[in-house]
Amino acid sequence: MPELPEVETTRRGLALKLEGRRIERIEARRPDLRFPLPPDFAARIRGRRVEALDRRAKYILIRLEGGLVWLVHLGMSGRMVLRQGWPNEIGPHDHVLFGTDEGWAAVYNDPRRFGMMDLIEPADLPTHKLLAGLGPEPLDDAFSPAVLAAALKDRKTPMKAALLDQTLVAGLGNIYVCEALFRAGIDPRRPAGRVKPEKLAKLVPAIKAVLREAVKAGGSSLRDYVQSDGELGYFQTRFRVYDREGQACVTCRRPVRRIVQSGRSTFYCGTCQR
Ligand SMILES: [Zn+2]
């Protein structure tokens, strides 16, 4: 599943070929993804110039001229593939295709169709049902140990679940929460309200570091995307605990454990994380 760094890498890749260009051609090959596409979806986008691409949590915001924001979420399995020229072959999971006046085309492919797209007036962004409740961006300065401590106060939910709560901090997913808790030495099962301030002071920089490192790795992957298959946003990252069950902890060499919390795998070291 794409997490924040993959979404950010996708945003950057799309920005390279879309920003400043006009969408000359767009084709929605089905009426819905996770939700129905908005009425006149393709017609409202066609002919508009792309002013900028932004990101909020795991949403990509394609800002179009004339005051329209094209909101894209990749869901569980969505991906953008860039091509030079309109594709000759269209696969069964290629749901939305669009091309610019410069000849580049982007294909939105999503086998499981948990992704979504919407068109929003900029003024309605703060109150949009999917964006309104989101907490601070983890990479923003507004996300600080003090802000996190206030949000966690008296919370009895396990720390892992608290960090996945999008109203507390936006865009964090399973992989990077496991990695950040490991770096901060926090047991993912510990009640969130009982994590000490000094641990939270380590956790916030750890969250920012794991995300920044992954965004950087994604940026390196972008440099070769044209030579490879044009697929944006998926790249190799080395994890310290994630998906390493039974392998030696990089710090203490004891085996990394896996447990299931709210239906998702948690990887952690029972010795290093307290
Ligand atoms: Zn360890």
Side-chain angles (χ1 to χ4, degrees), residues 182 249-254 269-273:
F182 174 74
C249 167
V250 295
T251 307
C252 72
R253 312 310 296 168
R254 289 187 179 84
C269 174
T271 306
C272 298
Q273 293 174 254

Side-chain angles (χ1 to χ4, degrees), residues 5-6 13 21 46 81 83-84 96 99 107 116 118 178 201 217 234 241 243 261 266 269:
E6 288 80 9
R21 307 317 320 175
R46 193 176 296 120
V81 182
R83 302 234 175 270
Q84 234 166 345
V96 178
V107 179
M116 58 80 59
D118 202 358
C178 290
Y234 291 82
V241 280
D243 207 19
Q261 291 180 292
T266 298
C269 174

Side-chain angles (χ1 to χ4, degrees), residues 117 209 260:
M117 292 187 186
V260 175

Side-chain angles (χ1 to χ4, degrees), residues 45 48 62 123-124 131 204:
I45 293 171
R48 294 198 198 224
I62 307 177
D124 296 333
L131 304 176
V204 169

